[in-house]
Amino acid sequence: MNQINRVAIVGGTHGNEFTGAYVIQKFAQFPHLITRPSFETVTLLANPNAFAAGRRYVEKDLNRCFLKQDLQDPTLNSYEELQAKSIQDTLASNGDKQADFILDLHSTTANMGLTIILVNSHPLNLKLAAYLSHVSPLVKVYRCSFKSIAENPFVNSLCELGFAIEVGPIAQGVLKATLFQQTEKVVHAVLDYLEQFNQGEIPSTKETLILYDHLSVVDYPKKQDGTIFGIIHPELQDKDYQALNPGDPIFITFDDKTIVYQGTSTVWPIFINEAAYYEKGIAMCLTHKQQINI
């Protein structure tokens, strides 16, 4: 990659995550804020119907609709599936409309702070993530890599360069000034970095990056009929990115019995008690913390 020509800032992929949706509405109203000399910046409200309804999605989670095989399947025609195909046409078609970098803005009810979510290990993505974590101690970097783009169901599968920004904690359908401003600040830092990249001004130096690599997901304690009988333990709630050791409390049942983490090594849980993940059977994601040289 020698030149970034078009950057897409996407918000409202989930309609009840207001931070990203309103950030891009602000940028659409004041485009000079995201204008840079060497590339075009465009904004996209990804799921307008869900945003208007204040819901995560209308029929299907849009951020699970970008598998390559699904985008190519003409029989898939729910609202979000058709919207995913439209977004592909807008951002991933050949020619002038092709986005070279996609920034997808999200928010979470979990205590995630400012999280960069990588879906691959492209050197530019890693270097940019390292830069962002260097300029802001609030930034954490979560890598949820897929073996190939074809296996990635997220908006960011449409472009090798780019990532999602996840901010929280914040309730669904709510705006909070601090998180709104933090999101804006990260977006501006990304655009400034890409401008410097185009100008050949990024120094080629050794850097280190702390990564939280995805390991697995954990579901809530459930009965055979699928109903929950336990909740996140108070000692774990809001402890995203903090070490969870074997034997530490992880759940507490409705009859007040503690369930401990039974893994064999320390992990770092994130997305703890995310509201949108109840339907997905995810109480938290477990990660491995490591430092890499880039």
Side-chain angles (χ1 to χ4, degrees):
M1 175 61 64
N2 298 318
Q3 179 82 16
I4 306 293
N5 295 313
R6 195 168 191 252
V7 174
I9 306 173
V10 180
T13 301
H14 295 131
N16 58 2
E17 295 179 8
F18 280 5
T19 304
Y22 278 99
V23 165
I24 67 158
Q25 285 197 352
K26 176 178 176 176
F27 289 153
Q29 186 177 353
F30 305 104
H32 67 278
L33 296 174
I34 53 174
T35 300
R36 298 297 183 273
S38 68
F39 57 83
E40 177 191 13
T41 309
V42 298
T43 58
L44 175 68
L45 182 63
N47 198 334
N49 285 9
F51 175 62
R55 296 167 52 184
R56 182 175 174 87
Y57 55 83
V58 176
E59 294 183 79
K60 184 177 180 180
D61 190 332
L62 178 59
N63 212 32
R64 303 298 184 272
C65 291
F66 290 89
L67 284 172
K68 188 175 182 180
Q69 65 190 47
D70 292 346
L71 291 170
Q72 296 174 347
D73 187 343
T75 67
L76 298 179
N77 58 7
S78 72
Y79 168 72
E80 273 83 10
E81 287 163 340
L82 293 175
Q83 191 67 9
K85 293 172 184 178
S86 175
I87 292 170
Q88 180 192 38
D89 290 340
T90 301
L91 299 182
S93 59
N94 293 325
D96 294 340
K97 293 197 298 182
Q98 174 75 45
D100 299 313
F101 191 101
I102 297 176
L103 198 57
D104 189 24
L105 308 181
H106 290 260
S107 55
T108 173
T109 62
N111 189 25
M112 298 275 285
L114 271 171
T115 294
I116 304 300
I117 302 181
L118 300 176
V119 296
N120 61 46
S121 297
H122 190 286
L124 181 58
N125 287 338
L126 290 174
K127 288 181 179 180
L128 177 48
Y131 169 78
L132 295 173
S133 62
H134 174 72
V135 298
S136 174
L138 298 175
V139 169
K140 301 283 194 302
V141 182
Y142 166 48
R143 182 167 61 182
C144 183
S145 295
F146 297 89
K147 292 180 181 178
S148 68
I149 292 177
E151 297 180 15
N152 181 352
F154 303 151
V155 174
N156 283 105
S157 70
L158 298 178
C159 186
E160 191 173 26
L161 296 181
F163 41 73
I165 299 175
E166 192 86 50
V167 295
I170 186 169
Q172 297 172 343
V174 170
L175 285 170
K176 189 183 291 184
T178 52
L179 295 181
F180 189 96
Q181 291 167 346
Q182 288 171 7
T183 301
E184 271 192 289
K185 190 173 181 179
V186 173
V187 171
H188 288 306
V190 169
L191 297 178
D192 290 343
Y193 185 96
L194 296 177
E195 178 63 26
Q196 288 181 290
F197 172 81
N198 277 352
Q199 303 298 339
E201 297 174 357
I202 300 298
S204 180
T205 58
K206 281 191 174 181
E207 297 180 69
T208 59
L209 172 63
I210 295 176
L211 274 179
Y212 294 84
D213 273 316
H214 181 85
L215 292 174
S216 61
V217 298
V218 177
D219 198 358
Y220 294 91
K222 290 181 177 177
K223 300 177 182 178
Q224 285 189 339
D225 64 1
T227 59
I228 290 174
F229 69 86
I231 54 180
I232 302 293
H233 195 280
E235 292 183 20
L236 181 59
Q237 181 63 48
D238 299 325
K239 299 296 177 60
D240 299 75
Y241 292 112
Q242 296 187 33
L244 178 68
N245 301 300
D248 285 349
I250 186 169
F251 296 109
I252 187 166
T253 65
F254 294 150
D255 56 356
D256 293 327
K257 293 178 181 177
T258 295
I259 298 174
V260 300
Y261 174 59
Q262 297 182 341
T264 58
S265 60
T266 299
V267 292
W268 285 260
I270 63 173
F271 283 115
I272 299 171
N273 209 14
E274 160 61 48
Y277 287 177
Y278 276 76
E279 69 177 29
K280 299 182 188 301
I282 298 174
M284 70 196 73
C285 298
L286 302 183
T287 72
H288 168 67
K289 182 181 180 181
Q290 64 168 324
Q291 180 172 295
I292 65 170
N293 295 317
I294 58 173

